Protein backbone atom coordinates (compact mmCIF):
# COMPACT_ATOMS: atom_id res chain seq x y z
CA UNK A 1 0.00 0.00 0.00
CA UNK A 2 1.28 3.40 -0.88
CA UNK A 3 1.49 6.05 1.80
CA UNK A 4 1.28 3.56 4.63
CA UNK A 5 4.43 2.79 6.63
CA UNK A 6 5.68 -0.76 6.27
CA UNK A 7 6.80 -3.06 9.04
CA UNK A 8 10.52 -2.28 8.58
CA UNK A 9 10.19 1.40 7.71
CA UNK A 10 10.87 2.60 11.25
CA UNK A 11 14.43 1.27 11.08
CA UNK A 12 15.01 3.16 7.86
CA UNK A 13 13.58 6.32 9.42
CA UNK A 14 15.89 6.04 12.43
CA UNK A 15 18.83 5.54 10.08
CA UNK A 16 17.91 8.68 8.10
CA UNK A 17 17.53 10.64 11.35
CA UNK A 18 20.97 9.48 12.51
CA UNK A 19 22.53 10.45 9.21
CA UNK A 20 20.88 13.89 9.38
CA UNK A 21 22.24 14.50 12.89
CA UNK A 22 19.49 13.45 15.28
CA UNK A 23 19.41 16.00 18.15
CA UNK A 24 18.43 13.30 20.67
CA UNK A 25 21.53 11.30 19.80
CA UNK A 26 23.64 14.43 20.23
CA UNK A 27 22.08 15.10 23.63
CA UNK A 28 22.69 11.50 24.69
CA UNK A 29 26.34 11.79 23.67
CA UNK A 30 26.85 14.98 25.69
CA UNK A 31 24.89 14.35 28.90
CA UNK A 32 26.10 11.63 31.30
CA UNK A 33 22.59 10.53 32.31
CA UNK A 34 23.69 7.80 34.72
CA UNK A 35 25.12 10.47 37.05
CA UNK A 36 21.53 11.41 37.90
CA UNK A 37 20.27 7.88 38.68
CA UNK A 38 21.39 7.65 42.29
CA UNK A 39 20.29 11.16 43.38
CA UNK A 40 16.91 10.68 41.69
CA UNK A 41 16.42 7.35 43.42
CA UNK A 42 17.15 8.93 46.80
CA UNK A 43 14.92 11.96 46.17
CA UNK A 44 11.83 10.05 45.08
CA UNK A 45 9.66 8.43 47.70
CA UNK A 46 8.30 5.14 46.37
CA UNK A 47 5.88 2.75 47.99
CA UNK A 48 6.98 -0.82 48.65
CA UNK A 49 4.43 -2.20 46.19
CA UNK A 50 2.61 -4.24 48.83
CA UNK A 51 -0.73 -2.75 47.82
CA UNK A 52 -0.22 -3.75 44.22
CA UNK A 53 -0.81 -1.44 41.31
CA UNK A 54 1.25 -0.51 38.32
CA UNK A 55 5.02 -0.42 38.81
CA UNK A 56 6.45 3.11 38.73
CA UNK A 57 8.22 4.50 35.71
CA UNK A 58 11.99 4.61 35.78
CA UNK A 59 13.04 7.88 37.49
CA UNK A 60 15.83 8.47 34.97
CA UNK A 61 13.43 8.15 32.04
CA UNK A 62 11.05 10.63 33.67
CA UNK A 63 13.96 13.03 34.27
CA UNK A 64 14.93 12.81 30.59
CA UNK A 65 11.33 13.62 29.63
CA UNK A 66 11.35 16.66 31.90
CA UNK A 67 14.64 17.87 30.39
CA UNK A 68 13.19 17.54 26.88
CA UNK A 69 10.03 19.39 27.93
CA UNK A 70 12.13 22.20 29.37
CA UNK A 71 14.20 22.43 26.21
CA UNK A 72 11.07 22.60 24.08
CA UNK A 73 9.62 25.33 26.30
CA UNK A 74 12.80 27.37 26.01
CA UNK A 75 12.85 26.94 22.24
CA UNK A 76 9.18 27.98 21.96
CA UNK A 77 9.87 31.11 24.04
CA UNK A 78 12.54 32.33 21.61
Amino acid sequence: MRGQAGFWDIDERYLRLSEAGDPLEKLNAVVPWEVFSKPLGKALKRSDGAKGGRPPYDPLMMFKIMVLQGMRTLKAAE
Side-chain angles (χ1 to χ4, degrees), residues 13-58:
R13 174 137 173 86
Y14 285 152
L15 182 62
R16 285 195 310 254
L17 276 171
S18 291
E19 290 170 353
D22 185 6
L24 294 179
E25 286 181 359
K26 290 179 185 177
L27 186 65
N28 242 358
V30 173
V31 178
W33 294 110
E34 293 305 318
V35 171
F36 299 102
S37 287
K38 197 171 185 177
L40 286 170
K42 286 182 180 180
L44 295 173
K45 184 178 179 182
R46 302 284 185 173
S47 66
D48 62 359
K51 293 183 181 178
R54 182 184 172 95
Y57 288 109
D58 177 45

